Structure formats: structure tokens, C-alpha cells
Amino acid sequence: MILITGASSGLGAALARRYANMGEQVVISGRDQARLASVAQSSSGLHPLSADLCNEQSVATLLDGVDAMSGASPLNTVIHCAGSGYFGPIAEQRADEITKLLQNNVTSSILLVRELVRRYRDTPLNLVVVMSTAAQQAKAGESTYCAAKWAVRGFIESVRQELKGKPMKIIAVYPGGMDTGFWPSSGKSLDTSSFMSAEEAAEMLQGALRATKHGHIADITIARG
């Protein structure tokens, strides 16, 4: 069984559909139950469970629900796509929006990974954490977004050290610009006509995540253009 967070739209939804079309059972999670239900209508292999990843009890309840559904097909992959953007010159950014950005990207990742490690560190689980190329390089007008993504990168690199020798693995993903619903709500206006679609990014990521008996790809950058 696969769990995909942030699956009510964009890359998460595209990945969910692709895996379900391959016959996988996929739990899709997000905050908006109605949007999740809409995505789930495309396949009987998609199972919506709403959750607020910024709330530790909600994270625990989500994973309890996944465990209850898994049955003979235990959870083997988690793809964490949930997050949000907020851009603009630093002097013009609002404190409440900065706080929300950090909650949606950093706090949510920490609480989810913490609970996954507690439950699955001794099982062969692949945890795929989707960040952004903003976690690899500084970008003008994206200071707090870069700060959030760099924080997530530092966090998962540190957790990797804790998991050395364990069957649970963390795979870091750094996608470049995608033409999704992310941008209209980010506060940044730009031409996304040259950006890759969520479906294109999902196709590339799904292919890269295929592992062998003795190896897996630990870091994936999906560049646009």
C-alpha cells in the first residue's frame, strides 16, 4: 500500500492516479475532503483520508487509518507532497503568512516523519520527501520559501543519519517548476507556460523510484526545460 500526502491536486494527485492505474492501493491525504473525494473518483484503488499534518493527533489518526486499510498489503511507500508557497520581497512579507508557510512545510514534515519513524523504522518502508529546487539554491523573492525547504532538507538528512542500518529509507526529491495550482495561491505572478506539468513530473519521478534488491536512488532532482 502507498500513502501520498498533498494528493488533492498537483503532483500528489498525478502520482496517485498513476499508481492506482498500475493496480496499487493508494491512500490519498490532504486537508480538503471534498477535493480528495473528487480525485478518488478516478479509480477504485484510491482511498481518501483527510488530515491536518500540522497537528500531531491528526497525523497519528491518519496512520492508524492507513494501518486499518492495509490488511495483507502493508504500507511500503509514503510520498510526502504536502506543502505550500509564499513569495515576494522580504520587506513586504507578512508575519502571519510566514508562520503559515513554516507550518505547512516544516512542521508538517517533522510531525509526519517523526510518527513514521516511530512506527516503521524497523520495516522496509520507503519515505519519499518531495521538496523543491528551492532547497538546493537561493532564489530572489523566495527567501522564506527557500528557508522552509532548506530546513526540511536539513531535517531529513539528519533523520537519515538516525536510520543508518535500518530498513526504512528516505528518498529526497527536488522538482523544478511545475505548472500546477500552486502558483496562483503563492503570491508570485509568473509565466508558467514553459514549466513541466504535474503529469510529466509524476511520470519521471515514478520511473526514478524503481528500486532493485540491493539499491535505491537516494536523491532525485527533476529539472525543467
mmCIF file of all heavy atoms in Angstrom, residues 19-65:
data_model
loop_
_atom_site.group_PDB
_atom_site.id
_atom_site.type_symbol
_atom_site.label_atom_id
_atom_site.label_comp_id
_atom_site.label_asym_id
_atom_site.label_seq_id
_atom_site.Cartn_x
_atom_site.Cartn_y
_atom_site.Cartn_z
ATOM 1 N N TYR A 19 -0.191 5.449 -9.904
ATOM 2 C CA TYR A 19 -0.018 4.218 -9.130
ATOM 3 C C TYR A 19 -1.308 3.393 -9.090
ATOM 4 O O TYR A 19 -1.258 2.157 -9.180
ATOM 5 C CB TYR A 19 0.445 4.546 -7.714
ATOM 6 C CG TYR A 19 1.933 4.809 -7.620
ATOM 7 C CD1 TYR A 19 2.424 6.083 -7.359
ATOM 8 C CD2 TYR A 19 2.848 3.771 -7.802
ATOM 9 C CE1 TYR A 19 3.789 6.321 -7.284
ATOM 10 C CE2 TYR A 19 4.226 4.005 -7.720
ATOM 11 C CZ TYR A 19 4.686 5.281 -7.462
ATOM 12 O OH TYR A 19 6.039 5.518 -7.398
ATOM 13 N N ALA A 20 -2.440 4.049 -8.952
ATOM 14 C CA ALA A 20 -3.710 3.321 -8.946
ATOM 15 C C ALA A 20 -3.940 2.629 -10.283
ATOM 16 O O ALA A 20 -4.438 1.495 -10.331
ATOM 17 C CB ALA A 20 -4.856 4.269 -8.632
ATOM 18 N N ASN A 21 -3.564 3.275 -11.372
ATOM 19 C CA ASN A 21 -3.715 2.678 -12.700
ATOM 20 C C ASN A 21 -2.818 1.461 -12.884
ATOM 21 O O ASN A 21 -3.072 0.635 -13.773
ATOM 22 C CB ASN A 21 -3.420 3.717 -13.787
ATOM 23 C CG ASN A 21 -4.510 4.772 -13.902
ATOM 24 O OD1 ASN A 21 -5.642 4.551 -13.472
ATOM 25 N ND2 ASN A 21 -4.182 5.919 -14.469
ATOM 26 N N MET A 22 -1.782 1.353 -12.049
ATOM 27 C CA MET A 22 -0.899 0.185 -12.094
ATOM 28 C C MET A 22 -1.394 -0.939 -11.189
ATOM 29 O O MET A 22 -0.748 -1.974 -11.072
ATOM 30 C CB MET A 22 0.519 0.589 -11.662
ATOM 31 C CG MET A 22 1.229 1.524 -12.620
ATOM 32 S SD MET A 22 2.834 2.075 -11.961
ATOM 33 C CE MET A 22 3.676 0.519 -11.707
ATOM 34 N N GLY A 23 -2.530 -0.707 -10.537
ATOM 35 C CA GLY A 23 -3.097 -1.729 -9.666
ATOM 36 C C GLY A 23 -2.738 -1.597 -8.206
ATOM 37 O O GLY A 23 -3.109 -2.452 -7.392
ATOM 38 N N GLU A 24 -2.031 -0.524 -7.842
ATOM 39 C CA GLU A 24 -1.670 -0.305 -6.446
ATOM 40 C C GLU A 24 -2.870 0.232 -5.654
ATOM 41 O O GLU A 24 -3.730 0.931 -6.198
ATOM 42 C CB GLU A 24 -0.524 0.698 -6.341
ATOM 43 C CG GLU A 24 0.766 0.262 -7.002
ATOM 44 C CD GLU A 24 1.584 -0.667 -6.133
ATOM 45 O OE1 GLU A 24 1.135 -1.012 -5.023
ATOM 46 O OE2 GLU A 24 2.678 -1.051 -6.576
ATOM 47 N N GLN A 25 -2.900 -0.097 -4.368
ATOM 48 C CA GLN A 25 -3.858 0.508 -3.461
ATOM 49 C C GLN A 25 -3.202 1.744 -2.851
ATOM 50 O O GLN A 25 -2.125 1.650 -2.255
ATOM 51 C CB GLN A 25 -4.281 -0.475 -2.361
ATOM 52 C CG GLN A 25 -5.010 -1.704 -2.893
ATOM 53 C CD GLN A 25 -6.293 -1.331 -3.618
ATOM 54 O OE1 GLN A 25 -7.135 -0.604 -3.094
ATOM 55 N NE2 GLN A 25 -6.438 -1.817 -4.842
ATOM 56 N N VAL A 26 -3.838 2.902 -3.026
ATOM 57 C CA VAL A 26 -3.219 4.169 -2.652
ATOM 58 C C VAL A 26 -4.139 4.957 -1.716
ATOM 59 O O VAL A 26 -5.281 5.250 -2.064
ATOM 60 C CB VAL A 26 -2.915 5.027 -3.902
ATOM 61 C CG1 VAL A 26 -2.172 6.296 -3.497
ATOM 62 C CG2 VAL A 26 -2.122 4.232 -4.931
ATOM 63 N N VAL A 27 -3.629 5.295 -0.546
ATOM 64 C CA VAL A 27 -4.332 6.201 0.362
ATOM 65 C C VAL A 27 -3.896 7.617 0.013
ATOM 66 O O VAL A 27 -2.697 7.915 -0.021
ATOM 67 C CB VAL A 27 -4.014 5.902 1.836
ATOM 68 C CG1 VAL A 27 -4.695 6.935 2.744
ATOM 69 C CG2 VAL A 27 -4.472 4.500 2.204
ATOM 70 N N ILE A 28 -4.851 8.471 -0.283
ATOM 71 C CA ILE A 28 -4.541 9.858 -0.609
ATOM 72 C C ILE A 28 -4.988 10.760 0.533
ATOM 73 O O ILE A 28 -6.086 10.612 1.062
ATOM 74 C CB ILE A 28 -5.185 10.291 -1.943
ATOM 75 C CG1 ILE A 28 -6.702 10.061 -1.945
ATOM 76 C CG2 ILE A 28 -4.529 9.549 -3.099
ATOM 77 C CD1 ILE A 28 -7.398 10.601 -3.190
ATOM 78 N N SER A 29 -4.121 11.673 0.899
ATOM 79 C CA SER A 29 -4.406 12.527 2.054
ATOM 80 C C SER A 29 -4.230 13.995 1.711
ATOM 81 O O SER A 29 -3.436 14.369 0.850
ATOM 82 C CB SER A 29 -3.478 12.157 3.216
ATOM 83 O OG SER A 29 -3.760 12.952 4.351
ATOM 84 N N GLY A 30 -5.011 14.824 2.392
ATOM 85 C CA GLY A 30 -4.968 16.271 2.267
ATOM 86 C C GLY A 30 -5.941 16.837 3.275
ATOM 87 O O GLY A 30 -6.614 16.097 3.997
ATOM 88 N N ARG A 31 -6.042 18.139 3.324
ATOM 89 C CA ARG A 31 -6.952 18.766 4.284
ATOM 90 C C ARG A 31 -8.393 18.808 3.793
ATOM 91 O O ARG A 31 -9.329 18.801 4.576
ATOM 92 C CB ARG A 31 -6.479 20.189 4.583
ATOM 93 C CG ARG A 31 -5.205 20.258 5.406
ATOM 94 C CD ARG A 31 -4.774 21.691 5.622
ATOM 95 N NE ARG A 31 -3.624 21.793 6.502
ATOM 96 C CZ ARG A 31 -2.964 22.905 6.758
ATOM 97 N NH1 ARG A 31 -3.361 24.034 6.170
ATOM 98 N NH2 ARG A 31 -1.931 22.918 7.566
ATOM 99 N N ASP A 32 -8.565 18.897 2.489
ATOM 100 C CA ASP A 32 -9.895 19.109 1.902
ATOM 101 C C ASP A 32 -10.509 17.779 1.477
ATOM 102 O O ASP A 32 -10.145 17.201 0.464
ATOM 103 C CB ASP A 32 -9.765 20.042 0.700
ATOM 104 C CG ASP A 32 -11.103 20.549 0.198
ATOM 105 O OD1 ASP A 32 -12.066 19.766 0.170
ATOM 106 O OD2 ASP A 32 -11.177 21.741 -0.184
ATOM 107 N N GLN A 33 -11.460 17.298 2.267
ATOM 108 C CA GLN A 33 -12.084 16.006 1.998
ATOM 109 C C GLN A 33 -12.813 15.996 0.657
ATOM 110 O O GLN A 33 -12.783 14.997 -0.074
ATOM 111 C CB GLN A 33 -13.069 15.651 3.113
ATOM 112 C CG GLN A 33 -13.735 14.292 2.965
ATOM 113 C CD GLN A 33 -12.763 13.131 3.067
ATOM 114 O OE1 GLN A 33 -11.909 13.106 3.945
ATOM 115 N NE2 GLN A 33 -12.874 12.162 2.167
ATOM 116 N N ALA A 34 -13.451 17.100 0.289
ATOM 117 C CA ALA A 34 -14.194 17.154 -0.974
ATOM 118 C C ALA A 34 -13.257 17.024 -2.167
ATOM 119 O O ALA A 34 -13.551 16.309 -3.135
ATOM 120 C CB ALA A 34 -14.995 18.451 -1.051
ATOM 121 N N ARG A 35 -12.131 17.708 -2.139
ATOM 122 C CA ARG A 35 -11.174 17.623 -3.240
ATOM 123 C C ARG A 35 -10.551 16.235 -3.311
ATOM 124 O O ARG A 35 -10.311 15.699 -4.401
ATOM 125 C CB ARG A 35 -10.095 18.685 -3.083
ATOM 126 C CG ARG A 35 -10.616 20.109 -3.293
ATOM 127 C CD ARG A 35 -9.576 21.146 -2.958
ATOM 128 N NE ARG A 35 -8.438 21.125 -3.868
ATOM 129 C CZ ARG A 35 -7.340 21.839 -3.687
ATOM 130 N NH1 ARG A 35 -7.222 22.629 -2.618
ATOM 131 N NH2 ARG A 35 -6.349 21.783 -4.556
ATOM 132 N N LEU A 36 -10.272 15.631 -2.168
ATOM 133 C CA LEU A 36 -9.759 14.266 -2.160
ATOM 134 C C LEU A 36 -10.761 13.300 -2.769
ATOM 135 O O LEU A 36 -10.400 12.415 -3.554
ATOM 136 C CB LEU A 36 -9.441 13.826 -0.726
ATOM 137 C CG LEU A 36 -8.215 14.429 -0.054
ATOM 138 C CD1 LEU A 36 -8.155 13.989 1.404
ATOM 139 C CD2 LEU A 36 -6.929 14.013 -0.770
ATOM 140 N N ALA A 37 -12.036 13.479 -2.403
ATOM 141 C CA ALA A 37 -13.082 12.603 -2.940
ATOM 142 C C ALA A 37 -13.171 12.732 -4.451
ATOM 143 O O ALA A 37 -13.400 11.744 -5.164
ATOM 144 C CB ALA A 37 -14.417 12.933 -2.289
ATOM 145 N N SER A 38 -12.970 13.951 -4.960
ATOM 146 C CA SER A 38 -13.005 14.168 -6.401
ATOM 147 C C SER A 38 -11.872 13.417 -7.092
ATOM 148 O O SER A 38 -12.070 12.786 -8.139
ATOM 149 C CB SER A 38 -12.907 15.665 -6.701
ATOM 150 O OG SER A 38 -12.889 15.901 -8.090
ATOM 151 N N VAL A 39 -10.668 13.455 -6.516
ATOM 152 C CA VAL A 39 -9.532 12.715 -7.074
ATOM 153 C C VAL A 39 -9.798 11.217 -7.013
ATOM 154 O O VAL A 39 -9.523 10.476 -7.962
ATOM 155 C CB VAL A 39 -8.230 13.059 -6.322
ATOM 156 C CG1 VAL A 39 -7.081 12.178 -6.791
ATOM 157 C CG2 VAL A 39 -7.873 14.526 -6.509
ATOM 158 N N ALA A 40 -10.377 10.762 -5.899
ATOM 159 C CA ALA A 40 -10.607 9.330 -5.686
ATOM 160 C C ALA A 40 -11.613 8.741 -6.658
ATOM 161 O O ALA A 40 -11.624 7.523 -6.883
ATOM 162 C CB ALA A 40 -11.056 9.088 -4.249
ATOM 163 N N GLN A 41 -12.448 9.575 -7.257
ATOM 164 C CA GLN A 41 -13.460 9.077 -8.184
ATOM 165 C C GLN A 41 -12.848 8.445 -9.431
ATOM 166 O O GLN A 41 -13.498 7.667 -10.122
ATOM 167 C CB GLN A 41 -14.395 10.218 -8.607
ATOM 168 C CG GLN A 41 -15.344 10.673 -7.518
ATOM 169 C CD GLN A 41 -16.209 11.849 -7.951
ATOM 170 O OE1 GLN A 41 -16.036 12.392 -9.041
ATOM 171 N NE2 GLN A 41 -17.134 12.250 -7.099
ATOM 172 N N SER A 42 -11.582 8.751 -9.703
ATOM 173 C CA SER A 42 -10.963 8.259 -10.934
ATOM 174 C C SER A 42 -10.556 6.794 -10.859
ATOM 175 O O SER A 42 -10.268 6.180 -11.884
ATOM 176 C CB SER A 42 -9.746 9.107 -11.295
ATOM 177 O OG SER A 42 -8.741 8.993 -10.302
ATOM 178 N N SER A 43 -10.521 6.203 -9.652
ATOM 179 C CA SER A 43 -10.095 4.815 -9.532
ATOM 180 C C SER A 43 -10.575 4.198 -8.218
ATOM 181 O O SER A 43 -10.563 4.867 -7.179
ATOM 182 C CB SER A 43 -8.567 4.712 -9.603
ATOM 183 O OG SER A 43 -8.130 3.408 -9.321
ATOM 184 N N SER A 44 -10.940 2.924 -8.282
ATOM 185 C CA SER A 44 -11.334 2.212 -7.067
ATOM 186 C C SER A 44 -10.135 1.922 -6.176
ATOM 187 O O SER A 44 -10.291 1.516 -5.022
ATOM 188 C CB SER A 44 -12.023 0.891 -7.434
ATOM 189 O OG SER A 44 -11.135 0.062 -8.177
ATOM 190 N N GLY A 45 -8.921 2.140 -6.713
ATOM 191 C CA GLY A 45 -7.717 1.917 -5.926
ATOM 192 C C GLY A 45 -7.289 3.107 -5.100
ATOM 193 O O GLY A 45 -6.278 3.039 -4.394
ATOM 194 N N LEU A 46 -8.050 4.205 -5.165
ATOM 195 C CA LEU A 46 -7.724 5.412 -4.408
ATOM 196 C C LEU A 46 -8.640 5.533 -3.198
ATOM 197 O O LEU A 46 -9.860 5.448 -3.325
ATOM 198 C CB LEU A 46 -7.868 6.647 -5.302
ATOM 199 C CG LEU A 46 -6.897 6.723 -6.488
ATOM 200 C CD1 LEU A 46 -7.238 7.920 -7.368
ATOM 201 C CD2 LEU A 46 -5.458 6.803 -6.006
ATOM 202 N N HIS A 47 -8.043 5.750 -2.028
ATOM 203 C CA HIS A 47 -8.792 5.779 -0.768
ATOM 204 C C HIS A 47 -8.503 7.092 -0.038
ATOM 205 O O HIS A 47 -7.390 7.280 0.475
ATOM 206 C CB HIS A 47 -8.406 4.590 0.099
ATOM 207 C CG HIS A 47 -8.450 3.284 -0.629
ATOM 208 N ND1 HIS A 47 -9.627 2.609 -0.875
ATOM 209 C CD2 HIS A 47 -7.454 2.554 -1.203
ATOM 210 C CE1 HIS A 47 -9.357 1.497 -1.551
ATOM 211 N NE2 HIS A 47 -8.052 1.441 -1.767
ATOM 212 N N PRO A 48 -9.460 8.012 0.017
ATOM 213 C CA PRO A 48 -9.204 9.317 0.627
ATOM 214 C C PRO A 48 -9.298 9.309 2.157
ATOM 215 O O PRO A 48 -10.226 8.733 2.726
ATOM 216 C CB PRO A 48 -10.307 10.194 0.023
ATOM 217 C CG PRO A 48 -11.433 9.237 -0.256
ATOM 218 C CD PRO A 48 -10.800 7.931 -0.607
ATOM 219 N N LEU A 49 -8.318 9.940 2.795
ATOM 220 C CA LEU A 49 -8.341 10.151 4.242
ATOM 221 C C LEU A 49 -7.837 11.572 4.501
ATOM 222 O O LEU A 49 -6.659 11.862 4.282
ATOM 223 C CB LEU A 49 -7.437 9.154 4.970
ATOM 224 C CG LEU A 49 -7.931 7.728 5.187
ATOM 225 C CD1 LEU A 49 -6.853 6.910 5.912
ATOM 226 C CD2 LEU A 49 -9.220 7.711 5.990
ATOM 227 N N SER A 50 -8.707 12.451 4.953
ATOM 228 C CA SER A 50 -8.280 13.824 5.204
ATOM 229 C C SER A 50 -7.466 13.898 6.490
ATOM 230 O O SER A 50 -7.669 13.122 7.430
ATOM 231 C CB SER A 50 -9.489 14.758 5.295
ATOM 232 O OG SER A 50 -10.337 14.378 6.354
ATOM 233 N N ALA A 51 -6.508 14.842 6.518
ATOM 234 C CA ALA A 51 -5.667 15.009 7.700
ATOM 235 C C ALA A 51 -5.022 16.381 7.677
ATOM 236 O O ALA A 51 -4.739 16.930 6.612
ATOM 237 C CB ALA A 51 -4.590 13.929 7.756
ATOM 238 N N ASP A 52 -4.769 16.908 8.871
ATOM 239 C CA ASP A 52 -4.005 18.140 9.033
ATOM 240 C C ASP A 52 -2.635 17.740 9.562
ATOM 241 O O ASP A 52 -2.492 17.393 10.743
ATOM 242 C CB ASP A 52 -4.709 19.081 10.007
ATOM 243 C CG ASP A 52 -3.925 20.364 10.263
ATOM 244 O OD1 ASP A 52 -2.841 20.538 9.654
ATOM 245 O OD2 ASP A 52 -4.384 21.189 11.075
ATOM 246 N N LEU A 53 -1.633 17.760 8.714
ATOM 247 C CA LEU A 53 -0.311 17.277 9.101
ATOM 248 C C LEU A 53 0.408 18.211 10.070
ATOM 249 O O LEU A 53 1.468 17.857 10.585
ATOM 250 C CB LEU A 53 0.553 17.061 7.858
ATOM 251 C CG LEU A 53 0.029 16.050 6.837
ATOM 252 C CD1 LEU A 53 1.024 15.889 5.688
ATOM 253 C CD2 LEU A 53 -0.270 14.704 7.481
ATOM 254 N N CYS A 54 -0.162 19.376 10.323
ATOM 255 C CA CYS A 54 0.409 20.288 11.323
ATOM 256 C C CYS A 54 -0.074 19.964 12.730
ATOM 257 O O CYS A 54 0.324 20.619 13.691
ATOM 258 C CB CYS A 54 0.070 21.738 10.980
ATOM 259 S SG CYS A 54 0.773 22.301 9.422
ATOM 260 N N ASN A 55 -0.934 18.943 12.839
ATOM 261 C CA ASN A 55 -1.492 18.533 14.121
ATOM 262 C C ASN A 55 -1.062 17.102 14.410
ATOM 263 O O ASN A 55 -1.353 16.199 13.629
ATOM 264 C CB ASN A 55 -3.020 18.645 14.068
ATOM 265 C CG ASN A 55 -3.689 18.218 15.360
ATOM 266 O OD1 ASN A 55 -3.771 17.029 15.648
ATOM 267 N ND2 ASN A 55 -4.172 19.184 16.121
ATOM 268 N N GLU A 56 -0.369 16.879 15.520
ATOM 269 C CA GLU A 56 0.197 15.551 15.771
ATOM 270 C C GLU A 56 -0.865 14.479 15.940
ATOM 271 O O GLU A 56 -0.670 13.326 15.509
ATOM 272 C CB GLU A 56 1.131 15.571 16.979
ATOM 273 C CG GLU A 56 0.497 15.913 18.300
ATOM 274 C CD GLU A 56 1.510 15.841 19.449
ATOM 275 O OE1 GLU A 56 2.421 14.986 19.389
ATOM 276 O OE2 GLU A 56 1.390 16.644 20.392
ATOM 277 N N GLN A 57 -2.015 14.811 16.537
ATOM 278 C CA GLN A 57 -3.066 13.807 16.680
ATOM 279 C C GLN A 57 -3.661 13.437 15.333
ATOM 280 O O GLN A 57 -3.989 12.273 15.076
ATOM 281 C CB GLN A 57 -4.168 14.316 17.610
ATOM 282 C CG GLN A 57 -5.256 13.282 17.897
ATOM 283 C CD GLN A 57 -4.703 11.976 18.436
ATOM 284 O OE1 GLN A 57 -4.008 11.966 19.458
ATOM 285 N NE2 GLN A 57 -4.982 10.866 17.765
ATOM 286 N N SER A 58 -3.797 14.426 14.457
ATOM 287 C CA SER A 58 -4.308 14.156 13.119
ATOM 288 C C SER A 58 -3.357 13.260 12.339
ATOM 289 O O SER A 58 -3.787 12.372 11.580
ATOM 290 C CB SER A 58 -4.532 15.472 12.368
ATOM 291 O OG SER A 58 -5.137 15.257 11.111
ATOM 292 N N VAL A 59 -2.045 13.456 12.504
ATOM 293 C CA VAL A 59 -1.059 12.595 11.853
ATOM 294 C C VAL A 59 -1.188 11.163 12.353
ATOM 295 O O VAL A 59 -1.203 10.208 11.562
ATOM 296 C CB VAL A 59 0.371 13.113 12.102
ATOM 297 C CG1 VAL A 59 1.413 12.106 11.599
ATOM 298 C CG2 VAL A 59 0.579 14.464 11.425
ATOM 299 N N ALA A 60 -1.315 11.002 13.667
ATOM 300 C CA ALA A 60 -1.462 9.658 14.243
ATOM 301 C C ALA A 60 -2.743 8.992 13.763
ATOM 302 O O ALA A 60 -2.748 7.795 13.424
ATOM 303 C CB ALA A 60 -1.445 9.745 15.770
ATOM 304 N N THR A 61 -3.826 9.757 13.699
ATOM 305 C CA THR A 61 -5.101 9.214 13.238
ATOM 306 C C THR A 61 -5.014 8.781 11.773
ATOM 307 O O THR A 61 -5.557 7.750 11.375
ATOM 308 C CB THR A 61 -6.224 10.256 13.413
ATOM 309 O OG1 THR A 61 -6.340 10.588 14.797
ATOM 310 C CG2 THR A 61 -7.557 9.729 12.911
ATOM 311 N N LEU A 62 -4.309 9.580 10.951
ATOM 312 C CA LEU A 62 -4.123 9.219 9.547
ATOM 313 C C LEU A 62 -3.408 7.880 9.420
ATOM 314 O O LEU A 62 -3.852 6.992 8.672
ATOM 315 C CB LEU A 62 -3.307 10.309 8.845
ATOM 316 C CG LEU A 62 -2.795 9.973 7.431
ATOM 317 C CD1 LEU A 62 -3.958 9.761 6.461
ATOM 318 C CD2 LEU A 62 -1.863 11.073 6.929
ATOM 319 N N LEU A 63 -2.321 7.698 10.146
ATOM 320 C CA LEU A 63 -1.553 6.458 10.032
ATOM 321 C C LEU A 63 -2.297 5.278 10.641
ATOM 322 O O LEU A 63 -2.160 4.143 10.169
ATOM 323 C CB LEU A 63 -0.175 6.632 10.660
ATOM 324 C CG LEU A 63 0.718 7.652 9.948
ATOM 325 C CD1 LEU A 63 2.077 7.738 10.627
ATOM 326 C CD2 LEU A 63 0.892 7.311 8.482
ATOM 327 N N ASP A 64 -3.102 5.529 11.665
ATOM 328 C CA ASP A 64 -3.982 4.469 12.185
ATOM 329 C C ASP A 64 -4.940 4.013 11.091
ATOM 330 O O ASP A 64 -5.191 2.816 10.922
ATOM 331 C CB ASP A 64 -4.785 4.975 13.384
ATOM 332 C CG ASP A 64 -3.946 5.116 14.650
ATOM 333 O OD1 ASP A 64 -2.830 4.538 14.707
ATOM 334 O OD2 ASP A 64 -4.404 5.810 15.577
ATOM 335 N N GLY A 65 -5.489 4.975 10.351
ATOM 336 C CA GLY A 65 -6.414 4.662 9.269
ATOM 337 C C GLY A 65 -5.737 3.880 8.152
ATOM 338 O O GLY A 65 -6.320 2.942 7.597
#
